[in-house]
Amino acid sequence: MTELAELTGAGVAKALLGKDVLPDALPWVTGSIGLLGTRPSYELMMDCDTLLMVGSNFPYTQFLPEFGKARAIQIDLDPTMIGMRYPFEVNLVGDAAGTLRALIPLVQRKTDRSWRSGIESNVRRWWEVMDRRAHTSADPINPELVFHELSARLPADAILASDSGSAANWYARHIRIRGEMRGSLSGTLATMGPGVPYVIGAKFGLPDRPAYALVGDGAMQMNGINELITIAKYWKDWADPRLVVAVLHNNDLNQVTWELRAMGGSPQFLPSQELPEFPYAGYAKLLGLHGVMAEKPEEVVPAWEEALAADRPCVVEFRTDPAVPPIPPHATWDQLEKALESIVRGDSDRGAMIKEGVKSKMQEFLPGKS
């Protein structure tokens, strides 16, 4: 894929389940695509004249080029997936790597690199925006800061699992894949609860590699706290004991809250969305694991460093602000209208919601790196 992208001067966007296919260090990799994706990926799709889809079942056509605007080619091992998502002109059934190798000798190198230069400029700009958004103040901790500070500290052989929920937004946008990192999540039906079980499975499959689960408190209360008992039972059998479970503690079913605001104009409904208090790090200690708590922004980095250096599995708990919005790469007018409607209807967190939303969106328009 890298060789073909270099020949054509293309950019590459990654479906979320393929986040670890190419490293984010490549300047023409635009990151994830879709509702949880990046602005450069959205711009790439909206402006391109040719689309090559390789081994992906990405279903959200609103994030692909408009029908008829781009010529399209699909490569997929499964013939039942051919032509399902887009009007492809050329459909190739076969192994992705083998098919790409067969295509490369037929491709002429593109000499005009202006398109590639524009993509790389958009990617650089995006990472500057992500840095600014991570360091925007929140009450108490900005969840984007949690993921931003983790990304650079991850070992190059890390195995990552994000749970469904707002944690998946920050995983998709802030974690930069490099080295031999692998990462996954429940990407097909966005089922809650797989984050901790996924890393347990990873440790049994690859016990000599460190694993990290990035989980919201809703998923932890569903099954994560029980899975800590499993970790406590088996961790001494693993060649490398490093397993970190990071919990975003905001007492809110946060992704549901934001989806109801943006899609239904519904204010937060506390009886079904407010979570009871639970001491995640404290519970880990009761099980003989390591536990770390961060309640202020300045405690985020020390908490990560302590968790990453622990001699046993660790739960690191961050008190995060539920009002920080998981803004999509392109918000439609209907989504904005519905979110405003939820405020008018008396959202219980409307003051913080407005403040954090404005601050987050402003970072896209500020000049430079300041």
Side-chain angles (χ1 to χ4, degrees):
M1 193 70 220
T2 299
E3 187 176 351
L4 183 62
E6 290 291 358
L7 280 171
T8 59
V12 178
K14 302 180 288 186
L16 197 49
L17 283 173
K19 181 176 171 64
D20 60 357
V21 171
L22 286 173
D24 291 302
L26 295 170
W28 39 265
V29 170
T30 61
S32 300
I33 183 176
L35 191 65
L36 277 59
T38 72
R39 183 76 189 183
S41 289
Y42 181 80
E43 293 166 338
L44 178 75
M45 290 294 166
M46 294 303 104
D47 296 339
C48 75
D49 61 9
T50 306
L51 171 67
L52 170 62
M53 188 177 287
V54 182
S56 175
N57 186 30
F58 183 75
Y60 305 106
T61 55
Q62 67 267 37
F63 292 99
L64 296 176
E66 293 179 23
F67 289 179
K69 184 178 178 181
R71 307 191 71 178
I73 305 162
Q74 183 180 15
I75 299 171
D76 205 291
L77 186 62
D78 184 355
T80 65
M81 300 310 300
I82 290 294
M84 283 191 65
R85 305 304 189 189
Y86 198 81
F88 296 100
E89 292 181 52
V90 178
N91 298 292
L92 303 174
V93 178
D95 172 74
T99 306
L100 288 170
R101 288 191 194 101
L103 281 176
I104 284 171
L106 307 176
V107 177
Q108 293 183 346
R109 180 177 176 81
K110 187 173 183 179
T111 56
D112 182 355
R113 294 279 141 165
S114 57
W115 168 252
R116 167 66 71 81
S117 296
I119 293 167
E120 293 179 355
S121 176
N122 290 341
V123 171
R124 286 193 300 271
R125 169 71 176 170
W126 172 256
W127 288 119
E128 290 172 6
V129 170
M130 288 296 95
D131 181 67
R132 286 202 297 262
R133 280 179 54 169
H135 290 93
T136 300
S137 61
D139 184 20
I141 295 174
N142 184 342
E144 297 192 65
L145 179 66
V146 173
F147 285 69
H148 183 81
E149 294 294 356
L150 169 65
S151 183
R153 292 173 170 79
L154 283 169
D157 62 345
I159 299 174
L160 301 155
S162 171
D163 217 293
S164 297
S166 59
N169 290 274
W170 319 133
Y171 162 77
R173 295 173 184 159
H174 283 278
I175 299 297
R176 302 179 77 162
I177 296 296
R178 53 189 167 78
E180 298 178 1
M181 288 183 183
R182 301 303 309 271
S184 194
L185 75 172
S186 177
T188 305
L189 292 174
T191 303
M192 287 180 67
V196 181
Y198 276 19
V199 293
I200 293 173
K203 290 301 289 187
F204 278 108
L206 296 167
D208 58 341
R209 290 177 64 171
Y212 305 86
L214 310 170
V215 183
D217 48 4
M220 280 301 288
Q221 290 193 21
M222 276 189 170
N223 64 344
I225 53 179
N226 294 319
E227 294 295 351
L228 295 179
I229 300 172
T230 305
I231 293 170
K233 178 179 180 180
Y234 291 108
W235 73 268
K236 292 180 182 178
D237 296 337
W238 300 330
D240 185 331
R242 288 177 294 172
L243 185 155
V244 177
V245 178
V247 183
L248 302 182
H249 187 164
N250 56 28
N251 296 111
D252 181 40
L253 288 175
N254 199 233
Q255 188 76 0
V256 175
T257 295
W258 281 104
E259 284 180 347
L260 288 174
R261 285 167 175 160
M263 296 179 184
S266 303
Q268 185 182 37
F269 185 61
L270 294 176
S272 69
Q273 289 159 239
E274 186 178 40
L275 295 168
E277 188 67 26
F278 188 86
Y280 304 97
Y283 180 66
K285 292 178 182 178
L286 288 176
L287 295 173
L289 307 177
H290 197 68
V292 185
M293 166 72 87
E295 299 182 275
K296 301 174 183 177
E298 58 269 24
E299 295 173 352
V300 169
V301 169
W304 274 129
E305 290 179 346
E306 182 177 342
L308 295 171
D311 63 352
R312 63 193 61 208
C314 176
V315 172
V316 55
E317 179 181 352
F318 298 95
R319 288 276 187 176
T320 56
D321 188 346
V324 175
I327 299 173
H330 173 69
T332 65
W333 175 251
D334 182 64
Q335 289 169 333
L336 295 172
E337 190 176 42
K338 293 298 185 184
L340 290 171
E341 192 177 324
S342 73
I343 295 171
V344 173
R345 289 180 175 180
D347 196 289
S348 59
D349 205 18
R350 57 188 178 275
M353 177 183 159
I354 295 169
K355 180 180 70 174
E356 297 302 331
V358 170
K359 285 195 296 184
S360 292
K361 196 63 181 175
M362 278 180 61
Q363 308 313 313
E364 295 185 27
F365 304 102
L366 295 173
K369 299 181 180 180
S370 60

